[in-house]
Amino acid sequence: ILAIMKDSTIGVYGAIGLLSVLALKAFALSKIEHSGIIITLICGHTLSRAFATLVMYFLPYVSEVKTSKSKNTGIAHPISMPIVNLLLPLSLLYFYNSYVVYIVLIPCTLVLIHLILKYKKWIGGYTGDCAGAVQQITEVVFYISILALWNYI
């Protein structure tokens, strides 16, 4: 699995996955009210990146640091890292003017937990690709959850 992940070509499944994520983002964002699009983009962007750092906190880095393209990822992270990284996106959710919006954290957290368990089982930790996948999937789930909240609650 790690050898495949080292390969820089994405292949057919990678291209389909990339197009699917982009299509889902475009669809979800096109259906969100124009008045809330800016805060949704900012919140989705920051929250998804904060969730990617949670992967780095909860799992060990599995690639050899010597051969890795990002040299500092193999270090241990203090508990303050995920807390500080979550402060901004959680405080930005306040600008929706409704505490109901915090419900979107449930599906985002469930996706994060699922991916962390899969990464631990499949490769024993995380790589940069894993953190990137968490970021992209969490961002899409956030946008779809916001869309569901606005349309159904």
Side-chain angles (χ1 to χ4, degrees):
I1 292 173
L2 291 174
I4 292 169
M5 291 172 73
K6 274 267 192 239
D7 188 2
S8 62
T9 58
I10 63 170
V12 174
Y13 290 117
I16 291 170
L18 182 62
L19 291 174
S20 299
V21 166
L22 290 173
L24 282 169
K25 283 183 188 182
F27 171 76
L29 290 170
S30 70
K31 300 294 182 185
I32 293 174
E33 295 175 17
H34 294 295
S35 62
I37 195 74
I38 298 295
I39 191 66
T40 300
L41 281 169
I42 293 170
C43 286
H45 184 82
T46 57
L47 185 71
S48 65
R49 278 150 181 79
F51 272 48
T53 64
L54 292 174
V55 172
M56 295 165 47
Y57 177 75
F58 287 111
L59 293 175
Y61 188 68
V62 294
S63 290
E64 288 188 34
V65 177
K66 293 178 232 167
T67 61
S68 175
K69 292 180 183 176
S70 41
K71 300 295 181 198
N72 64 348
T73 54
I75 61 172
H77 300 288
I79 187 68
S80 60
M81 181 192 76
I83 293 170
V84 169
N85 287 338
L86 284 169
L87 284 177
L88 178 64
L90 293 179
S91 62
L92 286 173
L93 289 174
Y94 172 79
F95 291 105
Y96 280 104
N97 296 324
S98 173
Y99 291 110
V100 175
V101 78
Y102 286 94
I103 291 174
V104 300
L105 295 174
I106 295 170
C108 292
T109 303
L110 291 175
V111 165
L112 174 70
I113 291 168
H114 174 75
L115 291 173
I116 284 175
L117 292 174
K118 289 293 182 186
Y119 296 154
K120 187 172 185 167
K121 178 182 175 185
W122 288 344
I123 60 174
Y126 81 96
T127 65
D129 291 339
C130 297
V134 166
Q135 185 277 319
Q136 288 295 307
I137 294 168
T138 305
E139 189 173 10
V140 169
V141 169
F142 177 83
Y143 295 150
I144 292 171
S145 300
I146 288 292
L147 181 63
L149 271 177
W150 279 354
N151 288 330
Y152 302 110
I153 294 180

